[in-house]
Amino acid sequence: PLPPVTGTPDPGAAPPIPASTHLEDGDYESDKVAFEWGDLRARIVVTGGKITTVQIVSYPDHRSQSLYLIQLADPILTTEVIKSQQFRVNTVSSATNSSIAFQDAIAGAIVKATR
C-alpha cells in the first residue's frame, strides 16, 4: 500500500453526503475497483464523523507506467478528499483513469461508513 495521508478537513468543506446521513467512526476499505490498468482498493479512516485519513491499499503496479501514474495522483487525490470531504475530486492530468477508479473506491468506502 501507499503511505496513508492524514489531515484535517477544510472548515468550509461541503458535506460529503446528504445532511441527514452520518459517517460512523472507524476504518473502512472499499471493494476492489477494476479499471483499464488493473484493480484499485482504498481505505478511509473516519474520526468525529469526518474523513481524516485516506490510503490507497492496492493498485496496479505491474507496469512502470501504472506505478508512476498512481504515485503521481495519490498525494493529490488523497489530500483533496480529506480537504473537501467528498469522493468527487478533480482528476489528475495524465492519470484520468486512475483518478476515476480512485473516486469510485473512495465512494465505496464512504458507503460502508454511512449509517
Side-chain angles (χ1 to χ4, degrees):
L2 294 172
V5 174
T6 59
T8 55
D10 185 348
I17 50 179
S20 61
T21 309
H22 175 74
L23 295 180
E24 187 74 33
D25 287 359
D27 291 9
Y28 301 93
E29 191 168 308
S30 72
D31 294 330
K32 178 175 55 175
V33 174
F35 70 111
E36 183 178 358
W37 309 114
D39 298 329
L40 186 138
R41 190 181 307 256
R43 176 179 152 277
I44 63 171
V45 175
V46 177
T47 307
K50 303 273 187 194
I51 300 168
T52 57
T53 302
V54 176
Q55 180 179 26
I56 298 175
V57 294
S58 66
Y59 49 90
D61 62 356
H62 59 285
R63 298 177 339 141
S64 61
Q65 183 67 8
S66 299
L67 184 57
Y68 167 76
L69 291 174
I70 202 68
Q71 289 175 334
L72 169 76
D74 173 57
I76 298 165
L77 296 170
T78 53
T79 299
E80 287 303 308
V81 167
I82 293 168
K83 284 174 53 179
S84 69
Q85 295 293 293
Q86 299 184 49
F87 70 93
R88 290 210 188 277
V89 294
N90 291 330
T91 58
V92 175
S93 182
S94 300
T96 304
N97 291 335
S98 298
S99 297
I100 292 168
F102 171 83
Q103 290 174 8
D104 291 346
I106 294 300
I110 288 172
V111 166
K112 290 181 178 185
T114 303
R115 65 170 165 132

